[in-house]
Amino acid sequence: MSAENQKTLSIIGGGIGGLLSAFYLIHDKKTQDKIRIFQSPLYPACTLSSTATVALRGTTKGHSKLGDYLVDGFHEVEKFVGTYRPQGVEKSKLITFNHPMSPSFEKIKTRYNSYRSKAETHGFTCYEEDFYYFSPHVFVGWLMVQLMSHVEFVNETVVCYTDHEIITDAKKTYSTDYVLLAAGAYSNFLSEEKKVKDSKPVAGAYLEYKDVDLGNTTYCQTYNELNTIYNAKEKKLIFGSASEDGFCFSANLPLLKTRYEEWQNA
């Protein structure tokens, strides 16, 4: 494609969503468009504050449209990891524990209905499945290296945009042919579209312990929607939940303490 006919795609958001979109367009779709990614210094990527696990968690196809999407998404991750062997990604095992005294007992039992279960002591049942652990900083660093020679990175905060123009806090205007909004929880500040306004960010909070040695195998354990994730390479232990009440840049520590005590008792 000649420079005269080349179109520009502007991606607003420098987290996994925006970076992977650019990666797929370049390496899978072989696009000839110019790609520009806006990474806001004011709104850092939610990606870097995530526990970053990918698993089916008992989800199977044929029950809901969302469930079908989740299953397809998991298999797409399998394909991606198998094809590109990215840094910062480990495949390991997730074990979900269920107990009759847990408030989510029936929900978990129904969700894992087609999975093979194993009886444990004190009435617990456990289900084992594959999961992928993403070390956010390492994986994003790998993605950035893959994109550096193909993408223009702009470290400015987008304050407004139209289909053909983007304005940043640096009072600069960028012309564009397409816009992909991948700003995560900050999308509501930029878009008036109903689908974006109706969507809600998922609040989460977790505790992180460093210099922990629990062996050479990364794993995840789940009980009553609480996760304990051990990263063997970084010797790091993470405890928390993606569905707990939290704030933009700080955890709800009193609630986490209560949930931690619940986990200890279990």
Side-chain angles (χ1 to χ4, degrees), residues 164-222:
H164 300 291
E165 191 174 80
I166 290 177
I167 300 174
T168 70
D169 61 342
K171 297 182 179 179
K172 293 182 181 179
T173 300
Y174 296 84
S175 61
T176 188
D177 296 286
Y178 314 100
V179 175
L180 174 61
L181 182 59
Y186 309 109
S187 297
N188 267 324
F189 298 151
L190 295 170
S191 176
E192 294 299 325
E193 289 192 27
K194 187 176 185 303
K195 285 186 177 180
V196 176
K197 288 298 183 185
D198 288 346
S199 66
K200 295 180 180 178
V202 177
Y206 60 91
L207 301 172
E208 184 175 288
Y209 302 88
K210 297 182 179 180
D211 300 319
V212 177
D213 191 348
L214 297 177
N216 298 318
T217 303
T218 294
Y219 64 83
C220 179
Q221 294 180 339
T222 297

Side-chain angles (χ1 to χ4, degrees), residues 11 13-15 19 37-41 43 140 144 153-157:
I11 299 176
L19 296 175
I37 297 179
F38 289 87
Q39 295 181 306
S40 170
Y43 301 133
V140 167
M144 293 283 287
F153 287 94
V154 180
N155 292 311
E156 298 171 20
T157 300

Side-chain angles (χ1 to χ4, degrees), residues 146-165:
Q146 308 306 308
L147 295 174
M148 279 297 185
S149 60
H150 304 280
V151 172
E152 176 190 357
F153 287 94
V154 180
N155 292 311
E156 298 171 20
T157 300
V158 175
V159 294
C160 62
Y161 72 94
T162 66
D163 290 341
H164 300 291
E165 191 174 80

Side-chain angles (χ1 to χ4, degrees), residues 3 31 35 63 87 162 219 231-232 258 261:
T31 183
I35 298 178
H63 300 286
Q87 294 175 5
T162 66
Y219 64 83
N231 180 349
T258 300
E261 289 172 353

Side-chain angles (χ1 to χ4, degrees), residues 54-97:
V54 177
L56 287 173
R57 295 187 180 273
T59 306
T60 54
K61 275 197 167 187
H63 300 286
S64 68
K65 185 177 290 187
L66 176 59
D68 291 349
Y69 286 149
L70 291 173
V71 173
D72 288 341
F74 178 81
H75 292 311
E76 187 62 32
V77 169
E78 281 188 316
K79 178 183 174 184
F80 172 80
V81 173
T83 302
Y84 296 106
R85 307 291 180 184
Q87 294 175 5
V89 183
E90 285 187 77
K91 181 180 180 181
S92 195
K93 293 296 181 182
L94 179 150
I95 301 176
T96 297
F97 292 91

